[in-house]
Amino acid sequence: METINIGVIGYGYWGPNLVRNFAEVPETQVVAVSDFQPEYLTKVLARYPSIQVTTNCQELFENPKIDAIAIATPVSTHFDLALAALRAGKHVLVSKPITATSAQARQLIEEAYRRQLVLMVDHTFIYTGAVRKIRELIVNQELANIYYYDSVRINLGLFQQDVNVIWDLAVHDLAIMDYVLPSKPVAVSCFGMSHIPGGHENISYLTLLFDTNLIAHIHVSWLAPVKIRRTLIGGEMKMIVYDDLEPSEKVKIYDKGITLTNNPENFYKMMVDYRLGDMLAPQLDITEPLYLEIQHFVDCIKTNNLPITDGQNGLQVVQILEAANQSMQQQGKLIKLKP
């Protein structure tokens, strides 16, 4: 079995999770970790004494033993690091969002394609058992026509230095929507506000319109007294409640809805009948999603296949985030998305 040697850049918030999962996947071996803060590298050596550490990420690009590089650094650094890794002939797994601009994302996609390298975005939620089950339900038409996607993703902190709250939190829902919904949004409207002088927007309300009667709404905030991660997906036949903070029943399927019938006494009057059926909480795969994601990354490297969360997926999310920023700056003006 061929081993894929990994270099990890960034060992702050997400880096330890990457290193731990790469260490657990049989086909991979973490060769080196880079971070500009020496105290983080001390933590690496305390847990993984055989891993090389450095404050200079250039050493990872120049190391011929390294096949792929995982990047877990601030968004503003993603493009330069990913581009340098690709140009050094390394496959790349980069944290969400893929880049700070859609132009940068396109350049990374082109670079990876030209060099026949894997470019993958760390949209971890796509690999959760809950989201994969939701996609299965929608693909199998169990909900029939989808009416709405309504999400609340709020907590107190963590305030980011280089991005606003939609780039930090709404990015998860945008990736999930791109994966589970049958159509793509065509326009965006977004309101947001900053309550920290000179800071980024810390609360935002994002609405996405589609060509069909599907509508999506995402509420994100760093300024809430409680942590909520709840999504409602309403369909013609069934409805889903997805609560990521639920310890066991994260996905609940409700056999509820409405039926419209004509009133024979009045042609213009519609009668609304309510369907109240059972609730089902399906069994979900509880494998750690990051482990499955890294396995998928390795499989794509070995088979030269495109990842589920490839560069194009990352680009689509960034395009919506850019449009949302533009809309916020114009007090919620509707911004059409490019096909």
Side-chain angles (χ1 to χ4, degrees), residues 112-161:
Y113 178 78
R114 184 164 54 249
R115 296 177 181 272
Q116 294 297 290
L117 294 168
V118 172
L119 173 62
M120 181 168 166
V121 191
D122 183 12
H123 289 313
T124 315
F125 275 94
I126 303 305
Y127 301 90
T128 62
V131 172
R132 287 185 287 126
K133 173 58 70 173
I134 291 170
R135 174 181 166 84
E136 177 188 315
L137 293 166
I138 292 176
V139 168
N140 291 338
Q141 288 288 305
E142 297 219 16
L143 279 68
N145 293 325
I146 307 298
Y147 290 155
Y148 64 84
Y149 178 105
D150 196 345
S151 177
V152 178
R153 196 174 293 272
I154 61 176
N155 52 259
L156 190 62
L158 299 163
F159 280 74
Q160 303 295 318
Q161 299 297 319

Side-chain angles (χ1 to χ4, degrees), residues 79 82-94 98 104-120 297 304-307 310-312:
F79 173 71
L83 185 63
L86 291 170
R87 287 176 172 172
K90 317 294 187 186
H91 303 282
V92 171
L93 172 64
V94 60
I98 183 171
Q104 291 176 341
R106 289 190 189 94
Q107 188 171 342
L108 291 185
I109 293 169
E110 292 168 1
E111 192 73 28
Y113 178 78
R114 184 164 54 249
R115 296 177 181 272
Q116 294 297 290
L117 294 168
V118 172
L119 173 62
M120 181 168 166
F297 180 54
N304 199 30
N305 286 329
L306 283 175
D310 64 353
Q312 190 66 36

Side-chain angles (χ1 to χ4, degrees), residues 70-106:
I71 299 167
T73 58
V75 180
S76 57
T77 66
H78 286 181
F79 173 71
D80 289 337
L81 292 174
L83 185 63
L86 291 170
R87 287 176 172 172
K90 317 294 187 186
H91 303 282
V92 171
L93 172 64
V94 60
S95 296
K96 56 80 186 171
I98 183 171
T99 51
T101 70
S102 56
Q104 291 176 341
R106 289 190 189 94

Side-chain angles (χ1 to χ4, degrees), residues 151-181:
S151 177
V152 178
R153 196 174 293 272
I154 61 176
N155 52 259
L156 190 62
L158 299 163
F159 280 74
Q160 303 295 318
Q161 299 297 319
D162 60 340
V163 293
N164 60 34
V165 70
I166 59 171
W167 285 72
D168 178 45
L169 295 181
V171 62
H172 295 302
D173 285 293
L174 296 177
I176 292 170
M177 287 168 50
D178 186 65
Y179 182 59
V180 306
L181 295 183

Side-chain angles (χ1 to χ4, degrees), residues 62-325:
E62 296 173 355
N63 189 335
K65 294 182 180 179
I66 293 177
D67 304 301
I69 289 180
I71 299 167
T73 58
V75 180
S76 57
T77 66
H78 286 181
F79 173 71
D80 289 337
L81 292 174
L83 185 63
L86 291 170
R87 287 176 172 172
K90 317 294 187 186
H91 303 282
V92 171
L93 172 64
V94 60
S95 296
K96 56 80 186 171
I98 183 171
T99 51
T101 70
S102 56
Q104 291 176 341
R106 289 190 189 94
Q107 188 171 342
L108 291 185
I109 293 169
E110 292 168 1
E111 192 73 28
Y113 178 78
R114 184 164 54 249
R115 296 177 181 272
Q116 294 297 290
L117 294 168
V118 172
L119 173 62
M120 181 168 166
V121 191
D122 183 12
H123 289 313
T124 315
F125 275 94
I126 303 305
Y127 301 90
T128 62
V131 172
R132 287 185 287 126
K133 173 58 70 173
I134 291 170
R135 174 181 166 84
E136 177 188 315
L137 293 166
I138 292 176
V139 168
N140 291 338
Q141 288 288 305
E142 297 219 16
L143 279 68
N145 293 325
I146 307 298
Y147 290 155
Y148 64 84
Y149 178 105
D150 196 345
S151 177
V152 178
R153 196 174 293 272
I154 61 176
N155 52 259
L156 190 62
L158 299 163
F159 280 74
Q160 303 295 318
Q161 299 297 319
D162 60 340
V163 293
N164 60 34
V165 70
I166 59 171
W167 285 72
D168 178 45
L169 295 181
V171 62
H172 295 302
D173 285 293
L174 296 177
I176 292 170
M177 287 168 50
D178 186 65
Y179 182 59
V180 306
L181 295 183
S183 56
K184 308 294 183 186
V186 297
V188 175
S189 174
C190 187
F191 289 90
M193 190 68 66
S194 171
H195 299 90
I196 306 296
H200 296 287
E201 290 85 0
N202 52 255
I203 184 170
S204 180
Y205 301 88
L206 174 62
T207 301
L208 298 103
L209 303 180
F210 296 75
D211 278 334
T212 62
N213 63 347
L214 167 62
I215 187 171
H217 184 262
I218 304 169
H219 170 207
V220 288
S221 174
W222 290 326
L223 208 59
V226 294
K227 184 174 183 177
I228 299 175
R229 298 286 186 270
R230 186 178 297 122
T231 301
L232 280 69
I233 303 175
E236 180 182 5
M237 298 303 297
K238 294 180 181 179
M239 300 180 181
I240 293 173
V241 176
Y242 165 36
D243 191 336
D244 191 53
L245 300 185
E246 274 284 338
S248 56
E249 299 178 345
K250 292 183 182 294
V251 174
K252 295 178 180 178
I253 308 162
Y254 290 85
D255 185 13
K256 293 185 177 183
I258 60 171
T259 304
L260 301 179
T261 56
N262 286 322
N263 183 353
E265 298 177 0
N266 186 342
F267 180 78
Y268 297 101
K269 186 176 181 181
M270 298 291 289
M271 297 294 291
V272 178
D273 292 327
Y274 296 94
R275 186 180 68 260
L276 304 175
D278 295 332
M279 184 278 289
L280 170 68
Q283 186 173 358
L284 304 175
D285 183 358
I286 60 172
T287 307
E288 184 175 356
L290 186 55
Y291 182 89
L292 293 177
E293 178 184 316
I294 287 174
Q295 275 192 323
H296 182 54
F297 180 54
V298 172
D299 289 341
C300 290
I301 291 173
K302 290 187 174 183
T303 60
N304 199 30
N305 286 329
L306 283 175
I308 297 171
T309 52
D310 64 353
Q312 190 66 36
N313 174 256
L315 169 62
Q316 290 168 353
V317 170
V318 170
Q319 285 178 320
I320 297 174
L321 292 171
E322 286 181 324
N325 272 356

